[in-house]
Amino acid sequence: MQWPKMLFVSGRPGSRKLDFSMRSAWCLALIRCGFLPICFAIAGWSQQPGSQDGKIGLIELATAAEANEVADQLKAGTDFAVLAKERSIDASSVDGGYVGDLSATHLPVRLKAVAANLKPGQISPVVPIDKGYAIVTVFTVAPKTQDLDAKRIYALTSAGAVQQNISISGLDEADAVFKQYPKPVGWNQDLSQPCKIRRESYASAVARTEQFLASPADSVPPAKLQQAHSALAQLYAYQGAMAKSAQEWKKTYDIAQASVPEVMPYVLESLGVTYLHLAEMENESYSSSGTMDIFPPLDHEAHFEKEENSKLAIEYLEKYLAALPNDLEVKWELNLAYLTLGGYPEKVPAKYLIPISSFASKDDIGRFKDVGKKVGLNSFTEAGGLVIGDFDNDGQLDIVTSSWGMCEPLHLFHNNGNGTFTDRSAEAGLSEQLGGLNVIQGDYNNDGCMDLLVLRGGWELPMRRSLLRNNCDGTFTDVTKQSGLSATVTASQTAVWADVDNDGLLDLFVANENAPSQLFHNKGDGTFEDISHAAGIDKIAFSKGVTAADYDKDGFVDFYVSNASGPNFLYHNNHNLTFTEVSRQAGVQAPYFSFATWFFDYDNDGWPDLFVNTYFSSVEQAIRSYLGLPVSVETLKLYRNMHNGVFEDVTAKVGLDKVMMPMGSNFGDVDNDGFLDIYLGMGNPSFAAMLPHALFRNEGGKSFVDITASSGTGELHKGHGIAFADLERRGFEDIVSANGGAVPADKHTLRLFQNPGNDNDWINLRLVGVKSNRAAIGAEIKVTVENDGLAERSIYRTVGQSSSFGGNPMEQHIGLGHAARIVAIDVWWPATKTRQHFADVKSGQFLEIKEFDNQYIRLERKSVRWGELQSGGRVSR
């Protein structure tokens, strides 16, 4: 029997789709995300004229000095459209100076003769006009005059339907009742209230549903009964009562067989996923941080001790596939179920097998080993953020995690310096800091101690943020109210610290969801002023990531904002506390559905490049990507900085044109070759969204190669905060991954993947600002090295650059490659325009460089190899 698939509309991505046309499927996927207006736009787009060659471009300036300055920038190679967007006072500036398909005869008199003699691509000299001064060009290809819109997205998704993965977790149901539950005035300014409301609203929903089903009226239609049992199954799943959830799904199954056969595929997959998750929970797959949720499997003979529920999962998934044998999502779930029994890939029926060869690595730098539990990182939480830093200035790197769970406090894991960590959350005053999908660090008051900002409400409702001042004694104080950051309550999970006006004080950019972004200017007295509107950055979007860098090397930091539905924003700093949005002219609006993002110099040419994740809740599309099959959604994006204000999309060129489901993500140098690598943590709230995290090795700035399988870092559970750091102080960056789903039933331990090491050299630099901000955020480093006696090369780093969903330390661990001789270290401080030069520095050291000093300081650091721990022992480097 062939059953039609059902689309169950919920509050976020993650539900099964119907076999609709591409337009309808895409529209309904957007409804799931809550973006109904975008759905209407997609349903009713109209054809737009395509670009034509030979278009007139115009930049108009008010004064001769401004015009001459722009002319010099054009001569230096800056893109005409970008400068038009930033500087022109003509109405055409919004379209990069493109004034239309005009001949010279249509131009004002003074410009006719100039434009008539221009060939495509040529730029005129400055021309006086009635209102000021102008520069004209003839575009070879006119700039895009439409934002990345619904028609563009439809084209990007090609001609196939996108299968959203089934939503099994109970989050949508729990969130729905949370939002409807009565709330006291000011509830979202009190951190204890969301926790209280969550518990009460959930218990109320379960009780009401149980009561309804205990004695349903005879008049209740079977379809409504089926929906009630499904809802109760989801609510039980939310809290982890998986056996009770399975019983409700079985009742749904009985009703479907008798009266509602069209929901049978949904029910069968729900049973399979529920039993698989129950098997994982009862075998402590997530709480013990073992190897059973690493993919590809590290031990082909490993299996769960309690096998009954894995076998039940297989039974229901195979029933599903008997009717719908081509469903890649369910095939993948079946393969994972066999994995728990030690039967992958050998025992998986051939017709349903996802071959392990599809996940093979083409390179091998050694295998990482998870030592998190061994060293005392006993975190077991839901999704959350992660930052690594020296929060008590003892020379050792500590770890701070946050949690989506509204009742879960922040955790501070203190590095004891002997290869172990201790949870000092209570002693640090963090026990009452509940919830927070992300946390970021920065020394906002320049006292030399790293402060914390906790962000809340992401994906849900507006909630207060917390600014936690580091008291420099191992404790923190909540100063949100007195700092001025509590005036507006927003839903957000992303922010970045940066000195926007080079006054030596860190300002704060917060990207919000369905609300204007915010820029808080640091007044230097512990308080901030909201200058968002005056600065021109208060665009409204469903923003998921924000990152900062001086992308055009003009000495002032710029911002990039990634959005979950719509074009992304690139805000260029105008040097006067205002910004111009130039994403279209710079070519960085895509992906339309974005998540985490960062600037980094992946090719070591001295210019910050840009990485941004695409985010589609589709296991099916990700598996198609692994299998080398055509996909219907956007891939990851890597934009190479072209040094003239524009970026080139090099995603396919470097081998990153892949569909994945990354949430947490970050970058670091895992093999000390001097080139930055990438680690992506996958998933969404559904228990079905299990995809291996991915580690990509940067091969000389030319390409990225997936080394997940060979490195043993393919964690299958949900990945959020991710950071790279040399926690052992032995010269190699380890990877810390704060894992966990969005519901209490989907918690996971924190992973600490120990770097296997190699014989490449390294240097560790801690920069300290004097007139610049104390944390040196924004300072640029250039290390010139010779490797094996060959030609010199340069390696570049910028302090503070990190993912929008994971925080690396401010100190810079820099891999140097094999047999490296450091020819020079150069440091550039944008705020003071200061350059420092240090020649012939020995590698393998921890150094401190203070702004203006002509000598560096060698820091003593204790190192320890976790695998060789002796009681209380440690080794001095």
Side-chain angles (χ1 to χ4, degrees):
M1 178 180 178
Q2 292 287 328
W3 296 299
K5 291 193 175 183
M6 290 295 290
L7 173 65
F8 289 83
V9 178
S10 62
R12 70 191 74 244
S15 301
R16 171 66 70 233
K17 73 163 186 64
L18 264 174
D19 188 17
F20 292 130
S21 69
M22 178 62 213
R23 186 181 304 182
S24 297
W26 194 253
C27 181
L28 286 165
L30 288 167
I31 292 174
R32 267 195 290 274
C33 300
F35 307 131
L36 190 59
I38 301 173
C39 174
F40 290 151
I42 290 179
W45 69 70
S46 59
Q47 288 293 107
Q48 300 291 337
S51 297
Q52 298 181 34
D53 294 338
K55 307 294 187 180
I56 298 294
L58 172 69
I59 297 177
E60 183 179 325
L61 289 310
T63 68
E66 290 176 308
N68 289 327
E69 181 183 353
V70 169
D72 289 341
Q73 290 179 277
L74 289 168
K75 290 177 183 177
T78 301
D79 185 80
F80 189 98
V82 169
L83 281 173
K85 175 73 172 177
E86 294 178 0
R87 304 292 299 274
S88 180
I89 60 176
D90 186 76
S92 64
S93 65
V94 297
D95 290 322
Y98 171 47
V99 297
D101 185 12
L102 303 174
S103 68
T105 58
H106 294 103
L107 292 172
V109 174
R110 295 186 183 183
L111 298 179
K112 283 183 181 180
V114 175
N117 293 320
L118 291 177
K119 296 179 181 178
Q122 288 184 325
I123 299 172
S124 78
V126 174
V127 181
I129 57 176
D130 291 340
K131 295 185 292 182
Y133 298 83
I135 303 171
V136 182
T137 191
V138 177
F139 289 116
T140 303
V141 177
K144 296 175 183 176
T145 58
Q146 295 290 321
D147 277 334
L148 191 64
D149 60 8
K151 179 176 179 290
R152 169 71 172 147
I153 292 307
Y154 182 74
L156 286 171
T157 57
S158 70
V162 179
Q163 179 176 314
Q164 299 283 313
N165 61 260
I166 194 171
S167 180
I168 303 293
S169 71
L171 178 62
D172 294 331
E173 290 73 15
D175 271 356
V177 296
F178 178 87
K179 292 172 182 177
Q180 296 166 4
Y181 198 76
K183 302 174 181 67
V185 175
W187 70 273
N188 53 10
Q189 287 278 16
D190 180 350
L191 295 181
S192 66
Q193 281 296 321
C195 173
K196 182 174 182 288
I197 295 167
R198 172 68 90 187
R199 287 172 171 165
E200 290 179 355
S201 62
Y202 171 79
S204 174
V206 171
R208 291 199 312 269
T209 311
E210 288 176 336
Q211 183 178 8
F212 171 80
L213 289 170
S215 55
D218 295 336
S219 60
V220 176
K224 189 168 183 179
L225 272 179
Q226 173 263 317
Q227 292 168 2
H229 284 293
S230 297
L232 188 55
Q234 294 276 22
L235 287 169
Y236 284 149
Y238 174 87
Q239 199 63 41
M242 302 308 297
K244 295 174 71 174
S245 178
Q247 291 303 313
E248 294 303 315
W249 284 121
K250 283 183 177 180
K251 293 174 185 177
T252 304
Y253 176 82
D254 292 338
I255 297 171
Q257 275 192 315
S259 308
V260 198
E262 63 268 23
V263 305
M264 189 61 75
Y266 173 71
V267 176
L268 284 172
E269 186 178 359
S270 299
L271 275 163
V273 171
T274 298
Y275 276 117
L276 180 56
H277 195 77
L278 174 56
E280 291 163 336
M281 290 184 69
E282 70 179 0
N283 284 279
E284 300 181 347
S285 176
Y286 301 150
S287 59
S288 66
S289 191
T291 62
M292 285 302 299
D293 54 338
I294 296 289
F295 190 91
L298 304 181
D299 181 356
H300 287 263
E301 297 182 358
H303 60 86
F304 285 169
E305 291 185 8
K306 300 175 183 178
E307 299 182 341
E308 178 183 354
N309 289 307
S310 291
K311 292 177 180 178
L312 285 170
I314 290 171
E315 176 185 336
Y316 286 107
L317 295 172
E318 289 187 343
K319 281 184 180 180
Y320 180 106
L321 290 169
L324 298 167
N326 296 319
D327 192 306
L328 274 177
E329 175 178 304
V330 179
K331 282 185 179 180
W332 173 245
E333 293 160 358
L334 181 67
N335 280 251
L336 294 182
Y338 273 103
L339 173 67
T340 66
L341 299 177
Y344 175 83
E346 294 83 1
K347 295 182 180 180
V348 181
K351 58 185 175 181
Y352 303 142
L353 177 65
I354 305 291
I356 195 171
S357 58
S358 301
F359 301 86
S361 296
K362 296 180 180 179
D363 203 351
D364 188 350
I365 65 167
R367 189 173 292 279
F368 287 69
K369 182 181 180 182
D370 176 25
V371 297
K373 195 169 184 179
K374 176 179 181 180
V375 302
L377 297 176
N378 56 354
S379 169
F380 183 61
T381 66
E382 298 169 41
L386 165 71
V387 291
I388 298 179
D390 184 0
F391 296 105
D392 54 1
N393 290 333
D394 65 352
Q396 301 292 338
L397 294 174
D398 311 303
I399 299 172
V400 171
T401 64
S402 65
S403 175
W404 161 294
M406 296 177 182
C407 302
E408 180 76 23
L410 289 187
H411 289 278
L412 169 61
F413 294 98
H414 177 259
N415 190 328
N416 299 320
N418 64 352
T420 65
F421 291 82
T422 301
D423 189 338
R424 289 191 181 172
S425 310
E427 296 90 330
L430 301 178
S431 297
E432 295 182 0
Q433 291 296 324
L434 306 179
L437 191 53
N438 202 6
V439 58
I440 64 171
Q441 59 181 320
D443 183 4
Y444 79 93
N445 58 355
N446 283 337
D447 64 355
C449 302
M450 205 61 65
D451 311 300
L452 299 171
L453 179 77
V454 186
L455 299 151
R456 300 184 177 90
W459 298 109
E460 295 185 313
L461 291 172
M463 298 180 199
R464 64 159 287 190
R465 59 182 70 102
S466 291
L467 178 62
L468 306 178
R469 186 189 65 213
N470 190 330
N471 300 319
C472 300
D473 61 359
T475 67
F476 292 82
T477 298
D478 190 331
V479 294
T480 315
K481 186 174 182 179
Q482 49 266 53
S483 71
L485 295 182
S486 65
T488 304
V489 177
T490 62
S492 177
Q493 64 172 49
T494 185
V496 66
W497 296 100
D499 183 358
V500 300
D501 54 353
N502 288 337
D503 65 351
L505 299 168
L506 288 179
D507 310 299
L508 178 65
F509 188 114
V510 180
N512 294 309
E513 297 178 359
N514 291 334
S517 291
Q518 295 170 292
L519 179 60
F520 296 96
H521 186 241
N522 193 329
K523 296 168 66 175
D525 59 359
T527 66
F528 294 82
E529 178 186 7
D530 188 340
I531 62 169
S532 311
H533 182 68
I537 60 87
D538 57 341
K539 291 174 73 71
I540 297 175
F542 198 83
S543 300
K544 302 308 295 178
V546 60
T547 184
D550 180 9
Y551 77 90
D552 58 351
K553 307 286 282 185
D554 65 355
F556 286 79
V557 69
D558 313 295
F559 296 110
Y560 182 77
V561 180
S562 65
N563 300 312
S565 59
N568 300 327
F569 308 141
L570 177 61
Y571 289 109
H572 178 262
N573 192 326
N574 300 324
H575 309 180
N576 59 1
L577 289 179
T578 70
F579 292 78
T580 301
E581 204 284 294
V582 297
S583 60
R584 182 174 58 208
Q585 287 70 29
V588 293
Q589 285 188 309
Y592 196 86
F593 289 92
S594 300
F595 207 126
T597 184
W598 65 70
F599 282 105
F600 72 151
D601 187 358
Y602 83 92
D603 55 356
N604 277 329
D605 67 350
W607 291 74
D609 310 300
L610 179 62
F611 179 85
V612 55
N613 293 346
T614 185
Y615 189 70
F616 288 87
S617 295
S618 177
V619 170
E620 179 255 359
Q621 288 289 306
I623 298 301
R624 291 184 68 87
S625 188
Y626 273 113
L627 295 176
L629 300 173
V631 296
S632 302
V633 297
E634 297 168 286
T635 68
L636 308 171
K637 286 292 181 184
L638 178 63
Y639 295 107
R640 182 174 181 267
N641 194 322
M642 301 305 290
H643 310 178
N644 61 355
V646 299
F647 291 78
E648 176 191 3
D649 184 344
V650 295
T651 312
K653 185 184 297 184
V654 302
L656 287 176
D657 52 338
K658 302 176 185 300
V659 175
M660 294 180 164
M661 204 184 294
M663 297 179 296
S665 55
N666 216 323
F667 61 90
D669 185 359
V670 293
D671 56 354
N672 278 352
D673 65 350
F675 291 92
L676 292 168
D677 312 300
I678 294 173
Y679 188 60
L680 305 177
M682 311 301 175
N684 71 28
S686 176
F687 297 159
M690 292 189 292
L691 292 167
H693 297 189
L695 180 59
F696 290 98
R697 181 176 183 262
N698 184 339
E699 303 220 321
K702 305 296 183 183
S703 64
F704 287 84
V705 175
D706 190 334
I707 59 170
T708 308
S710 62
S711 64
T713 55
E715 166 68 59
L716 277 168
H717 205 57
K718 318 302 166 55
H720 283 81
I722 288 171
F724 289 72
D726 178 12
L727 290 168
E728 291 181 298
R729 293 308 199 188
R730 63 188 186 93
F732 301 99
E733 285 192 306
D734 310 296
I735 302 174
V736 185
S737 178
N739 305 309
V743 299
D746 212 15
K747 294 182 178 181
H748 196 284
T749 56
L750 187 148
R751 293 275 195 185
L752 171 50
F753 288 111
Q754 181 185 35
N755 194 311
N758 59 35
D759 60 355
N760 285 343
D761 292 315
W762 55 275
I763 192 78
N764 186 295
L765 303 179
R766 178 177 184 262
L767 271 54
V768 179
V770 177
K771 287 189 176 179
S772 298
N773 70 86
R774 182 74 175 269
I777 290 175
E780 300 174 7
I781 299 168
K782 173 184 175 182
V783 181
T784 305
V785 299
E786 289 180 352
N787 294 109
D788 297 303
L790 301 177
E792 293 181 4
R793 66 177 178 122
S794 296
I795 301 167
Y796 297 88
R797 297 288 185 270
T798 299
V799 178
Q801 285 186 351
S802 203
S803 169
S804 62
F805 216 130
N808 297 339
M810 294 299 167
E811 65 176 42
Q812 298 299 296
H813 172 90
I814 304 173
L816 304 174
H818 186 264
R821 182 179 77 85
I822 299 178
V823 177
I825 297 176
D826 293 279
V827 181
W828 162 247
W829 301 83
T832 58
K833 296 180 172 55
T834 300
R835 295 190 184 276
Q836 293 168 287
H837 179 80
F838 305 95
D840 295 321
V841 179
K842 184 180 178 182
S843 65
Q845 299 187 89
F846 294 86
L847 305 180
E848 179 178 284
I849 297 174
K850 186 174 291 187
E851 187 178 17
F852 305 122
D853 286 1
N854 56 14
Q855 297 289 330
Y856 56 77
I857 300 171
R858 186 177 185 275
L859 301 174
E860 293 297 327
R861 295 288 186 253
K862 303 294 184 180
S863 69
V864 60
R865 176 71 171 169
W866 291 317
E868 301 168 357
L869 276 176
Q870 302 295 326
S871 178
R874 64 188 181 188
V875 182
S876 176
R877 181 175 295 280

